[in-house]
Amino acid sequence: MTKYIFVTGGVTSSLGKGIIAASLAKLLQARGYKVTIQKFDPYINIDPGTLNPYEHGECYVTEDGAETDLDLGHYERFLNVPTSQANNVTTGRIYQHVIQQEREGAYLGKTVQVIPHITDEIKRRMQLLGESGEYDIIITELGGTVGDIESLPFVEAVRQLRWELGANNSLVIHLTLVPYLAAAGELKTKPTQHSVKTLLEYGVQPDILVCRTEHKLSQEIRKKLAQFCNVNINAVVESIDASTIYDVPLLMLKENLDKTALTKLKLSNKNEPDLENWKNFLGKLKNPTSEVCIALVGKYVELPDAYKSITEGFIHAGATNECKVKVSYIAAESVTKENVAEKLKGMDGVLVAPGFGERGLDGKLNAIQYVRENNIPFFGICLGMQCSVIEFGRNVLGLKDANSFEMDADTSNPVINLMEEQKNITNMGGTMRLGAYDCEIKKGTKAFAIYGKTKISERHRHRYEFNNDYLKQYEAAGMIASGFNPETGLVEIVELKNHPFFVAGQFHPELKSTVANPHPLFVSFVAAALANKKSK
Ligand code: GLN
């Protein structure tokens, strides 16, 4: 029987529920359990695909093409197991389904209400992944903070589900903040007490408290938290600020979070967790023998969460190369022809990021021209790849108005064009080219040297594509297409022949980089940046 762990958050948002959920999952997986994590978000958007990255950070895309919360990226990076559409559910999706059922007459004339219809649908979705029998344990992270109006139906669904599942088949972990008041020189437990009280009002008693803190929890504080929140003292878990999120599984292991959870679920904790590979990775991450500076040129640079998976991809690739990767976020809009050399000074490699819309386009083109002409390693992702095609068209092929149809629908040289199947789309949500597609790599290219094989699969999220009418012209001038979609012929990777490292993909390799499998494009790009630095 599948067991369920629910993770709720109290006191404030941004405590890192996703990392705690992923860390616990990692420990359980390392003990031999089959685990998955799902996230339930209380907002009304059907998915985060239509959200500006400034709202919730990057939109993560799964193999099956779901546009999801960025926490799913952490789940995959920690567990190295793909997630799917079913792993991320929003209030919007719940209501959409219930309202559609109502229109179809499925409720047989009944009044459709939050209780029981919305909560029933939440419970159904919470157990969907469990139906396959594929998992021993399903961890469900509830977005938002306990006490928020919009979280209520989810907490009520958890209450009902716990009752239905019966004793020892579920547990609730409440993540809370234990703030330190410098003036008083004390850690304070009151916010946690209040937040647990709120949960109790809804009929949910947490089994385990994970306490975010900047200072160690004394025995006395632990006792106080246990006593006033009705939990066992060994169920008070300290989660102290860590230097890297990848330390958190080991910190949770020290605090016995996994053991306590397994005991409560009446599951064996005899197998010691096998964390050998994880520790190897951490060892390399923390003991770099060199350092490189990478510029990330993009338009959402004020909020690094907008590029979460790229940042993590560099951490994985850095560890593989035993090299510290220092990423500088550069606002594309600020890069001009005049200042580009100054802006990119000291950079060993440049990445041009994914994105939408015209803002910052010229800055990206200036950066690409500079690295192309100065033999600085370049890595383009999605819009970054499209920009490299525009730049080459304008400055090498002499197509002065070369552009993407997205930026200029009237250009006489749409080197990046709207995809055929996108032409009649009016609905913006969930209609891009999304999810995993096969790609065939040409032998003898840099892409082939990087991947070491001809058949790969990568995840996509875009509406525009390389315009194949221009392919011959580009290839004759030295920008070649090294990866294609085998069914449609769409160009998926471009690279420059006469350049130490100039590779750009229409897909998002960052979405597939994990601790266990750092992405080869990131690994090779960091290696190229390192080689560039050494040659200086
Ligand atoms: N805006 C571009 C497109 O839709 C690129 C998207 C992206 O970078 N993810 O094709």
Side-chain angles (χ1 to χ4, degrees):
M1 177 177 176
T2 307
K3 308 254 180 175
Y4 288 84
I5 298 177
F6 300 98
V7 182
T8 59
V11 183
T12 163
S13 58
S14 306
L15 290 181
K17 276 192 301 258
I19 302 297
I20 293 295
S23 299
L24 173 59
K26 182 78 229 169
L27 295 177
L28 297 171
Q29 183 192 52
R31 284 181 185 272
Y33 288 103
K34 288 200 209 76
V35 192
T36 190
I37 319 177
Q38 54 188 4
K39 174 141 196 213
F40 280 62
D41 275 312
Y43 53 74
I44 295 173
N45 304 64
I46 300 290
D47 60 42
T50 52
L51 289 175
N52 185 314
Y54 285 131
E55 293 283 316
H56 285 272
E58 131 189 311
C59 172
Y60 188 78
V61 181
T62 59
E63 287 288 296
D64 64 350
E67 296 180 286
T68 74
D69 185 81
L70 59 74
D71 274 338
L72 272 79
H74 291 308
Y75 309 162
E76 291 203 10
R77 287 187 281 274
F78 276 54
L79 296 182
N80 198 39
V81 174
T83 54
S84 70
Q85 181 71 71
N87 292 70
N88 193 194
V89 177
T90 66
T91 291
R93 202 174 280 284
I94 301 278
Y95 272 81
Q96 186 189 43
H97 180 82
V98 169
I99 292 170
Q100 195 182 334
Q101 294 266 95
E102 185 274 335
R103 291 290 81 183
E104 289 168 8
Y107 297 110
L108 305 173
K110 285 254 179 273
T111 309
V112 181
Q113 294 179 298
V114 173
I115 303 194
H117 302 103
I118 294 296
T119 45
D120 279 353
E121 177 60 12
I122 295 174
K123 286 188 289 176
R124 187 182 72 82
R125 299 261 182 171
M126 281 179 169
Q127 297 174 95
L128 220 50
L129 286 167
E131 278 168 10
S132 64
E134 207 181 311
Y135 301 105
D136 304 313
I137 302 166
I138 294 182
I139 301 181
T140 304
E141 179 193 345
L142 292 192
T145 308
V146 166
D148 293 350
I149 292 175
E150 57 263 47
S151 301
L152 253 171
F154 293 96
V155 179
E156 168 60 13
V158 169
R159 187 194 66 76
Q160 293 181 20
L161 202 50
R162 294 201 73 184
W163 182 82
E164 288 166 25
L165 289 165
N168 310 323
N169 292 326
S170 74
L171 69 88
V172 171
I173 297 176
H174 191 54
L175 177 63
T176 128
L177 178 70
V178 179
Y180 179 75
L181 286 196
E186 270 182 340
L187 286 169
K188 291 294 181 187
T189 64
K190 195 78 83 185
T192 300
Q193 293 182 39
H194 280 295
S195 147
V196 170
K197 214 173 254 166
T198 307
L199 256 185
L200 285 169
E201 269 172 41
Y202 303 151
V204 175
Q205 165 69 54
D207 301 281
I208 298 175
L209 296 179
V210 176
C211 306
R212 280 300 303 273
T213 172
E214 289 170 12
H215 297 269
K216 293 203 87 48
L217 299 183
S218 66
Q219 206 50 25
E220 197 187 335
I221 290 276
R222 286 179 193 249
K223 193 174 159 211
K224 197 166 169 191
L225 285 163
Q227 185 176 23
F228 288 100
C229 301
N230 304 320
V231 299
N232 221 307
I233 189 148
N234 62 17
V236 176
V237 171
E238 167 192 290
S239 171
I240 202 153
D241 291 356
S243 63
T244 153
I245 55 171
Y246 299 105
D247 268 338
V248 180
L250 299 181
L251 292 174
M252 291 302 108
L253 180 68
K254 241 198 223 148
E255 287 283 307
N256 290 318
L257 174 62
D258 54 333
K259 259 195 183 151
T260 309
L262 289 170
T263 309
K264 288 198 183 291
L265 292 172
K266 294 263 184 294
L267 290 171
S268 155
N269 58 27
K270 283 211 184 69
N271 289 344
E272 281 305 310
D274 175 5
L275 291 163
E276 178 110 0
N277 292 341
W278 193 269
K279 286 181 185 162
N280 267 340
F281 160 77
L282 271 179
K284 286 199 257 171
L285 182 66
K286 291 187 172 180
N287 300 292
T289 53
S290 52
E291 183 177 301
V292 289
C293 294
I294 303 284
L296 185 156
V297 182
K299 83 178 207 192
Y300 312 107
V301 290
E302 297 88 341
L303 182 75
D305 263 8
Y307 302 113
K308 194 82 214 166
S309 294
I310 294 178
T311 312
E312 299 304 318
F314 278 126
I315 292 175
H316 309 155
T320 306
N321 283 289
E322 295 183 32
C323 160
K324 180 171 172 55
V325 181
K326 280 176 76 179
V327 180
S328 301
Y329 299 86
I330 296 180
E333 280 164 292
S334 72
V335 184
T336 62
K337 275 202 173 13
E338 292 69 39
N339 71 13
V340 58
E342 185 56 33
K343 287 262 175 199
L344 299 180
K345 200 171 153 195
M347 294 297 152
D348 306 307
V350 173
L351 177 138
V352 174
F356 295 83
E358 211 191 346
R359 182 164 71 85
L361 178 73
D362 288 341
K364 290 176 184 169
L365 300 182
N366 292 332
I368 294 170
Q369 180 174 14
Y370 183 80
V371 296
R372 181 176 55 76
E373 291 176 351
N374 290 283
N375 289 324
I376 297 167
F378 167 75
F379 184 14
I381 298 183
C382 208
L383 181 61
M385 174 266 200
Q386 297 175 351
C387 287
S388 73
V389 171
I390 298 169
E391 191 279 324
F392 196 85
R394 288 188 190 177
N395 300 326
V396 179
L397 301 180
L399 309 168
K400 288 294 166 228
D401 71 340
N403 215 332
S404 164
F405 190 82
E406 179 182 9
M407 318 300 169
D408 177 7
D410 298 321
T411 173
S412 59
N413 286 297
V415 292
I416 302 294
N417 217 352
L418 189 60
M419 278 183 274
E420 202 47 47
E421 68 268 25
Q422 290 283 334
K423 289 194 172 144
N424 297 318
I425 283 177
T426 50
N427 221 341
M428 287 301 147
T431 55
M432 279 186 251
R433 181 179 180 214
L434 289 166
Y437 285 89
D438 288 340
C439 171
E440 197 145 323
I441 293 183
K442 271 199 210 142
K443 284 198 173 140
T445 60
K446 200 159 273 148
F448 181 75
I450 292 169
Y451 281 95
K453 53 186 175 187
T454 56
K455 285 190 185 357
I456 60 159
S457 163
E458 293 283 2
R459 297 186 202 169
H460 291 250
R461 181 173 187 251
H462 56 102
R463 291 189 202 281
Y464 301 86
E465 53 153 332
F466 184 94
N467 184 342
N468 273 328
D469 293 347
Y470 291 88
L471 186 56
K472 274 212 177 89
Q473 222 178 322
Y474 271 80
E475 294 208 314
M479 178 176 266
I480 60 159
S482 49
F484 284 95
N485 179 298
E487 273 156 36
T488 57
L490 290 180
V491 171
E492 310 284 40
I493 309 176
V494 296
E495 58 183 74
L496 286 184
K497 268 190 190 155
N498 299 314
H499 191 284
F501 190 102
F502 192 106
V503 182
Q506 183 58 79
F507 45 77
H508 291 265
E510 72 276 20
L511 302 174
K512 286 184 69 167
S513 187
T514 68
V515 167
N517 271 323
H519 197 287
L521 280 171
F522 278 83
V523 173
S524 306
F525 175 56
V526 169
L530 202 53
N532 175 35
K533 181 181 177 179
K534 284 185 183 148
S535 75
K536 274 185 217 165

